[in-house]
Amino acid sequence: MSEPAYSATEMMTIAAARRLKNGAVCFVGIGMPSAAANLARLTHAPEVVLIYESGTIGAKPEVLPLSIGDGELAEFADTVVSVPEIFRYWLQGGRVDVGFLGAAQIDKFGNINTTVIGSYEAPKVRLPGAGGAPEIAAAAKEVWIMLKQSKRAFVEKLDFITSAGYLSGGDARARSGARGLGPTAVITDLGVLTPDPATKELTLTALHPGVTVEQVKLATGWPLKAAPRPDVTPPPTVAELAALRDLHARTAQAHGTVAAVD
């Protein structure tokens, strides 16, 4: 049988979802991380505990939320607590296994920008801002970041550091006092980058099917290092694609938008 057709965005979402283990506590960002986390919940990780910044614990939305304040999150959650409790007891208390974030820009040490493009005083684009991402990046046991790979997003120098990865590399993060491990994986539409154990520079360690190392390097704004033999991500299964497409279709119907599959 031939493999099912799928888009680069679907491959990225499915690759990210596969990383989430059943029973893990995951602090979820809105957007692509939310799609991946909920896909995991609907497939191989039904007991994953999804936490959103608004205070929902054990969220089980039937459709993807538009924002952290979406009532869909509270309606099917195990419980809803105050925002201070989410951050003090759960996140700062070391009870979050994975912080799952998106970004507008990222640099080679996994620092991310969701604040401005251009100078802070006179930005070209004003982005949504930090929200709880700086705290998640600092205190979650590990952080995963999802974004599409291009030279506009993967930059040599960030316009603004919103959330810290490994700062200037090496032991800089450890010396900063941040308790979590930092960004252990960056999942893109081309492959997966992970930090070098010593320098903490992001290195290409896995390619999605049909993607070459040269393609990824051309989509990166710094001289990207690659493993000698990067792994190849297994292609999506029929069941994974069906679950993801059904989730997007329900979401599009509920919100009156087009499903995000490109």
Side-chain angles (χ1 to χ4, degrees):
M1 294 180 63
S2 61
E3 294 177 356
Y6 55 88
S7 70
T9 299
E10 288 175 326
M11 181 72 264
M12 171 173 58
T13 306
I14 289 168
R18 288 170 177 166
R19 303 182 77 89
L20 201 53
K21 296 179 180 178
N22 199 29
V25 177
C26 180
F27 205 133
V28 192
I30 294 297
M32 291 189 291
S34 185
N38 279 284
L39 176 62
R41 179 180 61 81
L42 293 168
T43 52
H44 68 279
E47 300 302 318
V48 68
V49 180
L50 301 185
I51 294 178
Y52 287 81
E53 191 178 333
S54 53
T56 54
I57 298 173
K60 303 172 185 67
E62 292 187 345
V63 302
L64 295 175
L66 292 173
S67 72
I68 59 168
D70 197 323
E72 185 78 22
L73 294 173
E75 185 174 357
F76 300 104
D78 293 336
T79 189
V80 181
V81 301
S82 69
V83 172
E85 182 173 332
I86 283 289
F87 282 92
R88 292 177 185 171
Y89 180 81
W90 287 87
L91 183 59
Q92 295 171 4
R95 294 174 173 84
V96 173
D97 298 313
V98 178
F100 215 156
L101 301 175
Q105 288 182 328
I106 188 168
D107 69 13
K108 65 181 178 180
F109 294 120
N111 305 300
I112 64 176
N113 172 25
T114 57
T115 303
V116 294
I117 302 297
S119 72
Y120 187 82
E121 292 75 17
K124 295 177 183 177
V125 179
R126 178 72 69 178
L127 299 169
E135 289 81 6
I136 296 169
K141 292 178 183 177
E142 63 179 313
V143 174
W144 302 338
I145 302 165
M146 276 184 78
L147 73 166
K148 293 185 177 181
Q149 194 148 359
S150 71
K151 285 189 175 180
R152 292 179 62 186
F154 284 67
V155 297
E156 184 76 43
K157 182 176 174 58
L158 294 179
D159 292 331
F160 187 94
I161 296 180
T162 307
S163 305
Y166 296 105
L167 298 171
S168 58
D171 66 349
R173 179 184 174 89
R175 288 187 285 106
S176 76
R179 287 177 292 171
L181 290 176
T184 57
V186 178
I187 306 101
T188 82
D189 53 339
L190 300 178
V192 180
L193 287 67
T194 57
D196 178 87
T199 68
K200 302 303 182 184
E201 183 173 339
L202 293 175
T203 302
L204 178 67
T205 52
L207 294 165
H208 296 330
V211 178
T212 66
V213 171
E214 188 61 25
Q215 270 183 274
V216 185
K217 288 185 175 182
L218 289 173
T220 307
W222 67 83
L224 178 66
K225 296 177 181 178
R229 290 177 162 234
D231 295 332
V232 177
T233 309
T237 66
V238 172
E240 288 171 328
L241 283 171
L244 178 59
R245 290 171 180 176
D246 185 57
L247 175 61
H248 279 308
R250 294 197 308 271
T251 301
Q253 184 175 25
H255 298 318
T257 58
V258 177
V261 296
D262 293 336

